[in-house]
Amino acid sequence: MKEVTFIRQNIEKWRDVECIVENTIDAGPDRQADAYIDLTTDLAFAQTHYPRSRITLYLNNLASALHNQIYRNKRESVSRLLTFWTREIPQTIYEARRALLASFLIFAVSVIIGAVSQWGDDSFCRLILGDQYVDMTLRNIENGSPMAVYDGGGETEMFLGITFNNIKVSFVVFVMGVLTSLGTGFFLLQNGVMLGSFQAFFFQQGLGFESMLAIWLHGTLEIWAIIVAGAAGITLGNGWLMPGTYGRMTSFMQGARRGLKIIVGTVPVFITAAFIEGFATRHTEWGTLPRLAIIGSSALFILYYYFYLPYRYGTKHRKD
């Protein structure tokens, strides 16, 4: 079908949809749903036959506006807060799965770079962590308390300070996406190199296993939350950098909403990580099994919430 024929056959229907979106037609939920189904069908046809046409962009924007209209008028259930954490966040993670994979790969490669650099030059950590921090750690090792850095203040004060800092870091990683995905990627690179050199430094001191028990006690959740925040930033950046068939501003706003939802989902994870760091990491006298149990529980939560639930949503979505 020629594009002009397609437009001529459907233009009146699309004008009615515009009126629904602008509230000039008092349409009930059934009519809105029918209009949305018809419109997305036309959009799919246009994307297939006229992918570079302005009519495809027009239908994309109109479908997005109608979608927002429908859900803005949708009555919220009493269990809205519960469904946000149990359904909406996993759904959003599934939709951003490629960004999450990219964030993980950037961070993992950065950790390897930091570790290899430290093994090649044992002064590399001084460049990354600073002389003062490295000298303090060496003194702690000489005094028999290599993890004393985690015992530098009151538990409650430390918990609150770490919580604030972690949430601030996550939002910085997210907002860096405004500078396109490269901004978030640079921040992930910086933190990954820092972690890799720090971990390699302890292995060079013969304290690799002990340092892993201490660092990953809280770091399992904390590091993963940073990676998820990186996915939020990449989602934001890609919305601006690669708008697809949407208008650039529309795509950017959609990426911002999706990324912000991901960031909000990391807040409880950061708080839990801060609680563990403030109240548990300092207790290096605890045995290996209790600490491994906390690390294992954190890993199981990550697998369930960030992999199993999104996968289940994705499988169900494909079947539907």
Side-chain angles (χ1 to χ4, degrees):
M1 182 188 298
K2 291 184 178 180
E3 183 179 353
V4 65
T5 304
F6 173 68
I7 295 173
R8 188 180 298 115
Q9 289 180 353
N10 296 284
I11 188 64
E12 292 301 323
K13 177 175 61 177
W14 299 336
R15 285 173 178 166
D16 288 341
V17 174
E18 288 181 354
C19 292
I20 293 174
V21 172
E22 295 170 0
N23 292 319
T24 57
I25 290 181
D26 186 17
D30 291 338
R31 184 173 179 183
Q32 286 182 333
D34 291 340
Y36 185 74
I37 292 172
D38 288 341
L39 187 61
T40 52
T41 301
D42 292 342
L43 173 60
F45 183 90
Q47 288 175 331
T48 301
H49 295 88
Y50 327 112
R52 299 182 180 277
S53 172
R54 290 186 178 181
I55 195 63
T56 302
L57 178 60
Y58 162 80
L59 291 174
N60 215 338
N61 292 336
L62 186 59
S64 177
L66 181 57
H67 178 275
N68 293 337
Q69 177 74 11
I70 292 172
Y71 281 88
R72 184 178 65 189
N73 294 331
K74 180 182 176 181
R75 290 185 178 180
E76 302 291 351
S77 64
V78 178
S79 60
R80 175 68 176 81
L81 187 61
L82 179 63
T83 57
F84 176 80
W85 295 106
T86 59
R87 188 174 64 188
E88 291 187 36
I89 296 297
Q91 287 177 1
T92 306
I93 292 296
Y94 176 78
E95 293 166 357
R97 60 193 181 280
R98 291 184 178 85
L100 183 60
L101 176 61
S103 179
F104 172 78
L105 291 176
I106 293 171
F107 193 86
V109 170
S110 304
V111 171
I112 294 172
I113 291 173
V116 171
S117 299
Q118 177 61 24
W119 278 109
D121 180 3
D122 58 9
S123 65
F124 179 76
C125 61
R126 293 183 176 274
L127 176 65
I128 301 300
L129 302 171
D131 289 332
Q132 183 178 358
Y133 187 86
V134 173
D135 290 338
M136 177 192 68
T137 304
L138 289 172
R139 287 195 299 270
N140 290 337
I141 293 173
E142 292 176 359
N143 295 331
S145 301
M147 298 295 124
V149 66
Y150 296 111
D151 191 18
E155 294 177 339
T156 302
E157 292 82 2
M158 190 173 182
F159 161 64
L160 294 175
I162 294 170
T163 298
F164 175 78
N165 181 70
N166 286 348
I167 294 175
K168 181 183 71 173
V169 167
S170 70
F171 275 92
V172 169
V173 175
F174 171 58
V175 172
M176 289 285 280
V178 173
L179 304 177
T180 73
S181 308
L182 298 177
T184 296
F186 174 77
F187 200 91
L188 290 169
L189 175 68
Q190 187 180 43
N191 280 268
V193 169
M194 186 181 301
L195 175 63
S197 63
F198 184 68
Q199 190 70 81
F201 168 76
F202 277 102
F203 271 94
Q204 289 175 328
Q205 304 303 317
L207 295 165
F209 183 69
E210 176 61 29
S211 69
M212 290 185 69
L213 284 178
I215 294 170
W216 292 99
L217 192 67
H218 61 273
T220 303
L221 292 176
E222 183 176 276
I223 297 303
W224 178 253
I226 290 176
I227 292 172
V228 174
I234 292 173
T235 299
L236 173 65
N238 286 349
W240 176 259
L241 195 63
M242 296 178 285
T245 58
Y246 290 95
R248 192 172 298 277
M249 184 54 66
T250 300
S251 177
F252 175 75
M253 293 302 296
Q254 290 179 343
R257 284 193 294 269
R258 182 177 297 173
L260 186 59
K261 186 178 290 187
I262 294 173
I263 280 293
V264 171
T266 65
V267 171
V269 181
F270 274 123
I271 292 175
T272 304
F275 181 85
I276 295 172
E277 186 172 358
F279 290 91
T281 303
R282 64 177 62 222
H283 293 290
T284 55
E285 73 279 3
W286 289 3
T288 299
L289 287 180
R291 291 192 282 179
L292 284 177
I294 295 175
I295 294 172
S297 299
S298 299
L300 286 174
F301 165 77
I302 291 170
L303 290 174
Y304 176 77
Y305 193 74
Y306 287 97
F307 289 88
Y308 172 71
L309 287 183
Y311 172 78
R312 189 175 70 175
Y313 163 76
T315 303
K316 180 181 178 181
H317 183 72
R318 286 194 296 270
K319 289 180 179 178
D320 295 341

